[in-house]
């Protein structure tokens, strides 16, 4: 077997797969300027329902790497009270407009222990995330006009874990989000509090609350796109270790 594979296999003591479901309250706005035309801000505050997520972690205890993916899709309908410019289209007052927003987030990172014991852990995290966001407006008179923002950001933060009962621990994390690279700018923060219960070896249940705020600007020669949102809400999850 390849020696690199053997070293990695020896370093990773176990791998954990986690699936989750959250019910966030999502509030944000987007503005897309196109070819010198300043766009109007579009606000949205939809009821998202259930948002799925998946995460794979590898442990070289007490350190951890992780790969997480999450996707949000939302839609809404509005009858415009005034003209609204979106990208290259000017929607007129009185039109009924369908709005569709799709957001995919992928995170890859590493947590390394600053201090670790039998019942407590304090660590630092560092990673990259990729957000791709597509927003479209559609009406019977003008058809559909859409645009997409894709941005890579750096994440950094701290993680705290501690056991408070038999087979139960609490986890808290806080992350900053930032990039300023070429045409992309992003800034934000995220925090989470979770309780983990392990009823038997190899399986655990999660219950918690998550919050995230992000502002993104993509400024190119022919367009300037801006997005800002806040998402917060409860989550549940199941983790399997092997």
């Amino acid at each position: 077997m390849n020696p690199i594979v053997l070293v990695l296999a020896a370093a990773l003591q176990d791998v954990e797969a986690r699936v989750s479901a959250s019910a966030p309250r999502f509030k944000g706005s987007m503005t897309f300027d196109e070819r010198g035309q300043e766009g109007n801000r579009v606000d949205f505050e939809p009821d998202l329902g259930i948002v799925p997520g998946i995460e794979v972690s590898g442990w070289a205890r007490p350190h951890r790497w992780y790969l997480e993916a999450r996707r949000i899709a939302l839609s809404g309908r509005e009858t415009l009270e005034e003209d609204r410019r979106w990208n290259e289209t000017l929607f007129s007052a009185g039109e009924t407009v369908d709005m569709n927003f799709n957001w995919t987030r992928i995170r890859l990172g590493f947590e390394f222990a600053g201090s670790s014991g039998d019942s407590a852990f304090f660590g630092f995290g560092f990673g990259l995330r990729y957000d791709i966001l597509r927003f479209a407006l559609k009406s019977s008179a003008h058809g559909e006009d859409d645009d997409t923002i894709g941005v890579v950001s750096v994440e950094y933060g701290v993680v705290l874990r501690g056991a408070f009962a038999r087979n139960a621990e609490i986890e808290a994390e806080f992350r900053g989000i930032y990039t300023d690279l070429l045409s992309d700018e992003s800034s934000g923060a995220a925090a989470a509090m979770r309780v983990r219960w392990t009823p038997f070896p190899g399986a655990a249940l999660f219950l918690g609350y998550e919050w995230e705020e992000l502002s993104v600007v993509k400024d190119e020669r022919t367009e300037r796109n801006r997005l800002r949102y806040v998402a917060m809400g409860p989550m549940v999850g199941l983790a399997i270790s092997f």
Side-chain angles (χ1 to χ4, degrees):
M1 185 179 289
N2 189 307
I4 296 178
V5 176
L6 290 174
V7 171
L8 291 175
L12 292 178
Q13 297 170 337
D14 55 72
V15 175
E16 180 179 275
R18 181 187 302 184
V19 293
S20 64
S22 58
R25 178 186 176 191
F26 193 93
K27 183 177 182 179
S29 64
M30 295 184 76
T31 305
F32 281 9
D33 302 338
E34 183 83 15
R35 303 186 189 281
Q37 298 290 333
E38 184 175 344
N40 297 111
R41 192 177 79 173
V42 177
D43 297 310
F44 46 92
E45 189 174 357
D47 181 4
L48 294 179
I50 302 300
V51 175
I54 185 169
E55 178 178 317
V56 177
S57 302
W59 294 87
R61 296 188 186 278
H63 312 295
R64 181 178 84 104
W65 64 263
Y66 59 86
L67 174 65
E68 181 214 57
R70 187 170 293 187
R71 185 174 187 274
I72 285 178
L74 58 92
S75 61
R77 174 170 289 184
E78 179 183 359
T79 299
L80 302 182
E81 297 181 355
E82 57 186 20
D83 293 350
R84 177 180 295 169
R85 178 170 294 281
W86 177 260
N87 257 359
E88 299 177 343
T89 303
L90 180 62
F91 294 92
S92 303
E95 280 190 78
T96 299
V97 177
D98 291 315
M99 296 178 289
N100 291 283
F101 175 64
N102 291 280
W103 168 45
T104 301
R105 183 186 75 189
I106 300 173
R107 300 173 56 231
L108 174 65
F110 183 75
E111 295 174 0
F112 57 95
S115 176
S116 180
D118 293 336
S119 60
F121 171 91
F122 171 75
F124 302 94
F126 180 83
L128 296 174
R129 63 181 279 163
Y130 178 60
D131 292 275
I132 183 166
L133 309 110
R134 178 184 179 272
F135 202 105
L137 296 186
K138 181 180 180 180
S139 74
S140 57
H142 289 92
E144 183 177 270
D145 194 351
D146 71 303
D147 213 331
T148 301
I149 299 177
V151 60
V152 177
S153 307
V154 173
E155 289 191 328
Y156 52 91
V158 295
V159 182
L160 296 162
R161 297 190 191 95
F164 65 92
R166 183 177 180 181
N167 299 330
E169 65 178 14
I170 191 167
E171 175 185 270
E173 65 172 310
F174 178 83
R175 305 189 308 273
I177 306 165
Y178 180 79
T179 192
D180 188 356
L181 179 65
L182 300 177
S183 63
D184 297 340
E185 298 177 19
S186 68
S187 61
M193 181 77 72
R194 307 181 190 93
V195 174
R196 174 184 178 122
W197 176 52
T198 307
F200 49 85
L205 298 174
F206 290 86
L207 178 65
Y209 195 89
E210 300 175 325
W211 166 87
E212 180 171 288
E213 180 172 352
L214 182 65
S215 176
V216 175
V217 176
K218 193 173 187 69
D219 195 349
E220 299 179 336
R221 289 185 300 174
T222 60
E223 62 182 47
R224 178 179 171 85
N225 302 333
R226 285 151 288 170
L227 164 75
R228 182 180 179 87
Y229 72 79
V230 177
M232 64 183 76
M235 62 83 65
V236 295
L238 170 67
I240 303 296
S241 303
F242 49 91

